[in-house]
Amino acid sequence: EIVLTQSPATLSLSPGERATLSCRASQSVSSFLAWYQQKPGQAPRLLIYDASNRATGIPARFSGSGSGTDFTLTISSLEPEDFAVYYCQQRSNWPMYTFGQGTKLEIK
Amino acid sequence: EVQLVESGGGLVQPGGSLRLSCTASGFPFSSYEMNWVRQAPGKGLEWVSYISSTGYTIYYADSVKGRFTISRDNTKNSLYLQMNSLRAEDTAIYYCAREISMIDVWGQGTMVTVSS
């Protein structure tokens, strides 16, 4: 099983600041990594797929990078609606998808 | 509008059974692969099961293999999850999720609670 480890567990920032979230895989997943955003009481929403491609309707302030085992989700300038939990997910071992444990982005 | 709506969740005793349904609209359901993903209270996401667009190819997570059965009816735009021999650790919100190379659309989820 491919294990995804996200860091930090919690990130406290203010609106307007830059957020950098990390996801590390226990073995190479090539570029088969996605990022999801989940707000309380809601389903996850796809933000980024294949490491760096924004999903339809996702603002340009969200960007993804990385390949192999190390990946980053960057939010260039935080908006109030961006405070949520973010999950990375690999599909290298399709369809045995695995998810990271999540990073909670909270308002400082 | 693309939409997935789950139903069938509820409270069930350990060892009991439950059947979840997911009704799709706004897209050609028969062309898409589908998944069930669950989330225990306050926890992260766990993939449960996959079914191909035709229903011929199916996969399960080890944690549910032999107890859960995924199926679909493309004439009814519906996805199902039959859950037997339920355990306390199966307590979670169950989401159906559409897949086209990646999971791109999720339903709002249905809560399953396994407790005596």
Side-chain angles (χ1 to χ4, degrees), chain B residues 5-83:
Chain B
V5 179
E6 301 93 336
S7 60
L11 175 64
V12 61
Q13 292 189 337
S17 298
L18 214 52
R19 188 194 195 210
L20 306 183
S21 300
C22 170
T23 302
S25 59
F27 67 98
F29 178 72
S30 62
S31 298
Y32 284 79
E33 301 154 275
M34 297 294 295
N35 292 268
W36 287 98
V37 179
R38 67 185 180 184
Q39 186 171 36
K43 302 297 184 182
L45 300 163
E46 179 189 16
W47 171 79
V48 172
S49 185
Y50 159 93
I51 187 167
S52 63
S53 59
T54 60
Y56 292 151
T57 301
I58 286 172
Y59 296 99
Y60 298 100
D62 288 343
S63 58
V64 307
K65 199 174 295 182
R67 300 187 299 123
F68 289 12
T69 302
I70 191 172
S71 63
R72 66 190 295 161
D73 185 339
N74 287 342
T75 66
K76 296 181 178 179
N77 288 346
S78 293
L79 174 73
Y80 306 102
L81 186 67
Q82 177 66 44
M83 304 186 295

Side-chain angles (χ1 to χ4, degrees), chain A residues 23-36:
Chain A
C23 178
R24 177 164 289 178
S26 59
Q27 63 189 75
S28 177
V29 299
S30 185
S31 294
F32 299 128
L33 190 106
W35 290 94
Y36 296 88

Side-chain angles (χ1 to χ4, degrees), chain A residues 34 36 38 41-46 49 87 89 91 94-101, chain B residues 33 35 37 39 43-47 50 59-60 95 99 101-104 106-108:
Chain A
Y36 296 88
Q38 188 178 33
Q42 295 185 17
R45 177 175 71 143
L46 176 67
Y49 65 94
Y87 293 96
Q89 175 231 359
R91 65 178 184 92
W94 177 91
M96 312 302 182
Y97 298 118
T98 52
F99 295 85
Q101 82 281 14
Chain B
E33 301 154 275
N35 292 268
V37 179
Q39 186 171 36
K43 302 297 184 182
L45 300 163
E46 179 189 16
W47 171 79
Y50 159 93
Y59 296 99
Y60 298 100
Y95 296 101
E99 175 177 337
S101 297
M102 67 284 183
I103 292 178
D104 69 336
W106 302 63
Q108 87 290 348

Side-chain angles (χ1 to χ4, degrees), chain A residues 13-70:
Chain A
L13 294 170
S14 300
E17 290 193 294
R18 181 184 187 89
T20 303
L21 287 67
S22 174
C23 178
R24 177 164 289 178
S26 59
Q27 63 189 75
S28 177
V29 299
S30 185
S31 294
F32 299 128
L33 190 106
W35 290 94
Y36 296 88
Q37 177 194 68
Q38 188 178 33
K39 296 180 180 179
Q42 295 185 17
R45 177 175 71 143
L46 176 67
L47 299 175
I48 301 288
Y49 65 94
D50 291 347
S52 60
N53 297 291
R54 270 191 306 277
T56 302
I58 301 303
R61 65 180 181 273
F62 290 90
S63 64
S65 63
S67 66
T69 60
D70 290 297

